[in-house]
C-alpha cells in the first residue's frame, strides 16, 4: 500500500509519524494532507532512506540535480557532488545522467545517497536508441520499470504534453526547453500520434503504485524565457497535469507537479496560485524560477529570488540552479553554490511562512554578532567553511574585530550602548 | 537653485531633461515628481558627472560601497573597486573610507568616478577625534561642509536618531548596527543631550541647499537582524525622518530616506509601504534588505532576494551587499559579485514594474539561446567575462552545444520543432 492509500484508510504510518515529528506538525494533520494530495512523502516502499515530506504546512524542500552528460561522464565526480549537496542541505537529489553508463551511475547514487533520489526515465530510453523518434512507447515504460525496480523514490514523467498543445507554441521565442518535453514533442510530430505517456498513463500509475514511487508530473512545455512565461501552452499543459493528478490520486499514487522555469517577478505568485487551483493543492516543485534571462554565471541568484517568492506564495519544493546553468555541466563548487542559494530562498520563505522553529538559528547568529563571538558566527553560517575562509583572508579568528571597520566597529560601540540602555537610570537620563 | 527649487517654479532643467530622456519618461512628469519630492536627481551643482534620477517611475538604481578601513587602507585597490563597480553597472558609489588619508581618498574617488558619489561625513569627524564622545557638533558640521565643498553628490546624515528613541532599543538582540547611528547614540548617552544633527538640522539643510547636494537621511536605528526588524525603535526613527524630509523639501533640499537592513521576507513590502506613507513618497534607499541572518559569505544573495522584493514594492535605490558582508572588507571580486547580484534584483524589479524597454535584452538573450548563438549569449550576459570563462571551462565557443547535455540538447530538438510548428500543415497533422 502507498502512503496515500494508508492515509485514505486513516492510518498514520511510521513514515508519516517520522515526517510529522521532524517538521513539528501533528501526525493527523499530515495524514489529512497526504490523503487530500496536498502533501507527498518521498520514500519508495522499503527504501532505507529517511522519508522526506513535501507539501502543505511543511518546511520548503530543495533538490539538487546531478549526473553525467555525454561530454562529461565522470561518475566519481558526480558522487562527490552528491555528497556535497547533502552536506550543504539538499533534501533530495535527482540523477539526470545522460552519458556513459547511465544505469551504473544511478545504482551508485542509490547506494550512496542519504536523501530521496529522483530520475527522469525517458532520458535513458532516448539515449539508448540514440534517435528520439526511434523510441517506442514500450521502451519508455521499460525504462520507468527499471528505474523503479532499481529503487528511485520519485520519477519525473512528462505525461501532460499533448498533441493539441503543440500549435500553442507558435508565439514563443524559445519553443520547448525541457529535455523530456522536446523529445516527446518531436516524437509526436514525427509519428503523428499522441504522447505515449498520456495514452498509457494508467500503466505509468500502476508502476508507480506498486512501489509507492512519487510521480512528479514534468512540465514539458515550461517557459524557457520570460517572454514565454504563463502563456497558453504552459497553462494548457498545467490543466492537463491537474487532470492527471486527479487520476493519480484516485489510483492511490502520490503525485506532485513540476513548474517553471523562467517567470517575471510579477507573475511568480500567480503561477503558484494557478497550480494550486488547477491541481487541487498538489505539491508544487519549481525550477528556480529565474526572474531574468540575462544572468548566466549568476542564475543561482536569479533563481533564488524567484524561488523565495514562489515558496512564500506556496511552492513546496525548489529545484536548485547552479551558476553554470545555461553554460555547462556544474562542477563541485557550482553545486555547493547552487545548494546554498536555494537554501537561502527556502529558509527565507520558511521564516515568512512561520515554519516552527525556523527563526532560532537567525536569532543565535544575531546574538553571536552582538557579542562579536566569531567562532559561533562562523559555525552558524550556512557554509561555515566558506565563511571561515573569507574571514581568514583578513584576520585571525581570535581578533574580535574584522577588516570592514577595524576598531571603528558598531558592534563594539553597541556593547557600551546595550549596557547602558539596560540600566533604568539611563532611560531617565535620556529623558524618555 | 536646486533641482527641487527649479521644479517648484515649473522649470525643466537640462538635468531633468537628460534624466527623462534616459529613463523614457516625460520631462513634465519627472519635474512633477521632483517637485513633490518623490524623485531626486543625484548631481551636485556644477558636477561634471551625468545626473542620475532616483524615484517614482524611474528604473531601480543600485549603489556600491567602497572605501578604506583602518586595517586596509589601499587607495589604489579602492579605485579599482570603483572602476569595476561602474563597469558592471553601479549607478552610484559611496566612499565610506575610515582608514588612512580619508580626505585624499575621497578626492581621488571624486576625480575618478563617472557616477554620482556619496559619503557619510560623520565618519571622518569621528576618526579625526579618535574618540566618538570627543566629537563636537561643530566638528560634524565642518565635516559635512568639507565633503560638500569637495564635490560629493549626496551625503548620508543620521539626523533622525533621537534621545527619546534610545529606550526603545531595549527589546533588541542587536541594538544599534549602523556605524553612524551607534556613534550618535553613544554621544547622546555620554553627553545627555539631543542628536546634534537633529538640533542643527537647519544648518545641515543650508549646507546641502547651497550646492544642491541630495540629503540621504540615514537610518541609524536600522535593524541588524530579523528579530529586530520593523520594531518600535525603527519605526520611531522613520517617523522622525518623515518630519525631517518635509522640512528639507520646504527648504528646497532634495531628500531621500535610507532603510533596512535585515527584514524577514514577509515584512519587506510593509516596510516600503510605511516609508512611502510616513515620508510622503520620498525615494527609498534600502540596504539589501537581507532576508536571513545566517548567510555570511552569501549575503549578496540574501540581499538580492530582499532587494528584488523591495524594489518591486516601490523601493527606488538598492545598496549592494557583497559576499564579504559581516566578514570583512570586500576585495575586487567581491565588489563585482555584489554589483551583479544587486543588478539582477533591480533588473527583475524593473521588468515587474514595467520600466520602458527593460525586457529587450531578455528577449534578445532568449532568441540567441533558441539559435544556440553562443557569442551573442555571452555578450548579452550581465558579466560577459565570467560567463565566457565558465563556458570556456567546458568547450570552445564555436561548438554549438554545451557540456550540460552535449548532443542531448533541447535547443537542438527545438529547432526541428520550431520549423515544423510554423508550417500550418503540421497543425492539421497534430489534429489541433
Amino acid at each position: 500500500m502507498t502512503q496515500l492509500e494508508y492515509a485514505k484508510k486513516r492510518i498514520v504510518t511510521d513514515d508519516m509519524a517520522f515526517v510529522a515529528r521532524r517538521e513539528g506538525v501533528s501526525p493527523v494533520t499530515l495524514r489529512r494532507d497526504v490523503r487530500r494530495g496536498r502533501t507527498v512523502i518521498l520514500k519508495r516502499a522499503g527504501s532505507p532512506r529517511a522519508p522526506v515530506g513535501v507539501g502543505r504546512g511543511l518546511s520548503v524542500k530543495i533538490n539538487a540535480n546531478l549526473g553525467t552528460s555525454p561530454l562529461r561522464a565522470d561518475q566519481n565526480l558526480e558522487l562527490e557532488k552528491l555528497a556535497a549537496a547533502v552536506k550543504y542541505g539538499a533534501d533530495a537529489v535527482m540523477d539526470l545522467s545522460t552519458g556513459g553508463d547511465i544505469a551504473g551511475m544511478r545504482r551508485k547514487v542509490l547506494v550512496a545517497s542519504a536523501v530521496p533520489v529522483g530520475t527522469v526515465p525517458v532520458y535513458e530510453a532516448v539515449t539508448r536508441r540514440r534517435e528520439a523518434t526511434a523510441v517506442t512507447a514500450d521502451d519508455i515504460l521499460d525504462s520507468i520499470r527499471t528505474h523503479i525496480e532499481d529503487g528511485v523514490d520519485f520519477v519525473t514523467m512528462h505525461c501532460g504534453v499533448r498533441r493539441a498543445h503543440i500549435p500553442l507554441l507558435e508565439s514563443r521565442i524559445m519553443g520547448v526547453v525541457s529535455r523530456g518535453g522536446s523529445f516527446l514533442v518531436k516524437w509526436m510530430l514525427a509519428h503523428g500520434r499522441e504522447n505515449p505517456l498520456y495514452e498509457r498513463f494508467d500503466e505509468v500509475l500502476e508502476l508507480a503504485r506498486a512501489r509507492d514511487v512519487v510521480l512528479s508530473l514534468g512540465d514539458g512545455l515550461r517557459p524557457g524565457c520570460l517572454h514565454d512565461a504563463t502563456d497558453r501552452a504552459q497553462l494548457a499543459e498545467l490543466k492537463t497535469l491537474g487532470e492527471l493528478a486527479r487520476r493519480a490520486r484516485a489510483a492511490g499514487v502520490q503525485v506532485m507537479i513540476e513548474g517553471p522555469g523562467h517567470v517575471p517577478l510579477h507573475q511568480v505568485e500567480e503561477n503558484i496560485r494557478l497550480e494550486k487551483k488547477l491541481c487541487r493543492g498538489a505539491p508544487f516543485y519549481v525550477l528556480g524560477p529565474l526572474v531574468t534571462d540575462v544572468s548566466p554565471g549568476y542564475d543561482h541568484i536569479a533563481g533564488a529570488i524567484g524561488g523565495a517568492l514562489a515558496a512564500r506564495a506556496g511552492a513546496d519544493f525548489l529545484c536548485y540552479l547552479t551558476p553554470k546553468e545555461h553554460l555547462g555541466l556544474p562542477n563541485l563548487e557550482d553545486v555547493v553554490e547552487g545548494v546554498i542559494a536555494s537554501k537561502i530562498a527556502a529558509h527565507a520563505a520558511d521564516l515568512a511562512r512561520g515554519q516552527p522553529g525556523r527563526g532560532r538559528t537567525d536569532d543565535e547568529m544575531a546574538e553571536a554578532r552582538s557579542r562579536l563571538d566569531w567562532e559561533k558566527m562562523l559555525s552558524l553560517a550556512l557554509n561555515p567553511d566558506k565563511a571561515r575562509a573569507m574571514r581568514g583572508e583578513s584576520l585571525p579568528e581570535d581578533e574580535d574585530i574584522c577588516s570592514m571597520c577595524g576598531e571603528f566597529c558598531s558592534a563594539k560601540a553597541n556593547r557600551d550602548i546595550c549596557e547602558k540602555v539596560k540600566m533604568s537610570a539611563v532611560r531617565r537620563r535620556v529623558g524618555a
Side-chain angles (χ1 to χ4, degrees), chain A:
Chain A
M1 288 220 305
T2 67
Q3 298 287 335
L4 174 52
E5 288 169 326
Y6 280 113
K8 283 181 182 175
K9 291 192 190 294
R10 305 291 200 274
I11 294 166
V12 173
T13 63
D14 289 349
D15 290 326
M16 289 181 213
F18 177 91
V19 168
R21 207 159 48 240
R22 186 187 261 186
E23 301 273 350
V25 299
S26 108
V28 172
T29 306
L30 181 72
R31 188 194 65 194
R32 188 198 60 203
D33 285 321
V34 171
R35 178 168 58 85
R36 295 195 182 163
R38 300 189 296 208
T39 291
V40 294
I41 291 181
L42 298 179
K43 182 186 176 176
R44 176 190 178 277
S47 160
R49 286 179 286 277
V52 169
V54 173
R56 188 164 178 276
L58 309 183
S59 61
V60 178
K61 304 303 183 300
I62 66 168
N63 174 76
N65 289 336
L66 48 91
T68 59
S69 86
L71 297 171
R72 291 234 177 140
D74 178 347
Q75 295 197 347
N76 288 332
L77 174 60
E78 298 308 317
L79 292 172
E80 282 179 55
K81 290 182 191 174
L82 166 63
V86 173
K87 173 179 174 185
Y88 289 105
D91 300 291
V93 295
M94 291 191 77
D95 171 21
L96 305 183
S97 291
T98 56
D101 176 10
I102 295 175
M105 180 79 247
R106 178 173 62 253
R107 287 158 198 162
K108 283 182 186 167
V109 169
L110 284 164
V111 168
S113 179
V115 299
V117 176
T119 56
V120 189
V122 76
Y123 292 173
E124 197 174 7
V126 176
T127 52
R128 267 200 194 142
R129 293 280 179 192
R130 289 175 170 271
E131 183 52 58
T133 49
V135 175
T136 67
D138 285 335
D139 288 339
I140 302 176
L141 287 163
D142 284 346
S143 192
I144 301 172
R145 190 175 298 111
T146 307
H147 284 231
I148 288 176
E149 280 171 7
D150 281 349
V152 302
D153 301 287
F154 60 109
V155 285
T156 293
M157 302 299 314
H158 303 88
C159 306
V161 194
R162 299 195 57 187
R163 288 172 76 192
H165 302 152
I166 297 176
L168 304 177
L169 297 168
E170 209 179 6
S171 59
R172 286 193 164 183
I173 294 178
M174 294 277 298
V176 186
V177 298
S178 150
R179 285 198 293 200
S182 71
F183 153 67
L184 288 162
V185 171
K186 232 177 133 173
W187 192 96
M188 288 189 271
L189 285 170
H191 297 280
R193 285 175 46 198
E194 185 56 275
N195 175 356
L197 289 170
Y198 180 82
E199 284 198 327
R200 297 175 69 173
F201 188 62
D202 288 332
E203 289 171 71
V204 173
L205 289 178
E206 192 39 52
L207 290 171
R209 206 197 59 78
R211 305 292 178 98
D212 200 4
V213 166
V214 172
L215 191 58
S216 188
L217 289 175
D219 53 335
L221 302 185
R222 69 165 175 267
C225 60
L226 300 189
H227 175 276
D228 298 348
T230 330
D231 71 348
R232 287 171 66 209
Q234 182 195 328
L235 297 184
E237 184 187 23
L238 183 61
K239 205 168 159 229
T240 305
L241 295 180
E243 291 158 19
L244 296 177
R246 191 180 47 71
R247 284 170 62 188
R249 287 167 183 162
V253 173
Q254 299 193 89
V255 64
M256 58 186 176
I257 308 291
E258 296 185 19
H262 294 243
V263 183
L265 201 56
H266 60 293
Q267 293 176 10
V268 172
E269 287 109 331
E270 178 64 5
N271 267 268
I272 312 305
R273 200 191 62 76
L274 283 168
E275 187 273 348
K276 291 291 177 186
K277 185 182 158 205
L278 294 172
C279 305
R280 297 200 177 184
F284 201 17
Y285 175 26
V286 292
L287 176 56
L290 291 154
V291 294
T292 174
D293 301 328
V294 296
S295 54
Y298 300 86
D299 279 347
H300 61 311
I301 298 179
I305 293 172
L309 203 55
R312 186 184 68 164
D316 307 279
F317 196 15
L318 306 179
C319 187
Y320 86 162
L321 290 158
T322 78
K324 214 50 99 24
E325 186 73 22
H326 294 110
L327 293 170
L329 202 67
N331 62 27
L332 195 57
E333 193 195 334
D334 296 322
V335 167
V336 175
E337 299 298 288
V339 168
I340 302 274
S342 288
K343 201 79 196 164
I344 291 171
H347 178 66
D350 279 344
L351 295 171
R353 286 158 58 150
Q355 291 304 133
R358 283 287 154 156
R360 214 174 301 138
T361 330
D362 296 78
D363 290 351
E364 282 176 41
M365 177 67 89
E367 279 163 27
R369 280 188 177 139
S370 73
R371 290 195 315 272
L372 280 170
D373 180 345
W374 282 96
E375 188 45 44
K376 182 88 178 171
M377 281 187 247
L378 297 172
S379 72
L380 288 169
L382 286 174
N383 184 345
D385 303 335
K386 184 163 180 174
R388 206 174 293 279
M390 283 187 159
R391 157 95 178 139
E393 280 175 29
S394 19
L395 279 174
E397 274 167 37
D398 53 348
E399 292 275 350
D400 72 348
I401 49 175
C402 79
S403 59
M404 177 73 103
C405 313
E407 286 295 328
F408 195 67
C409 170
S410 67
K412 290 203 154 191
N414 193 52
R415 282 199 284 206
D416 304 344
I417 295 167
C418 285
E419 266 171 37
K420 290 191 182 157
V421 172
K422 275 172 198 147
M423 292 158 52
S424 59
V426 175
R427 251 173 283 167
R428 284 193 300 275
R429 197 166 144 207
V430 297

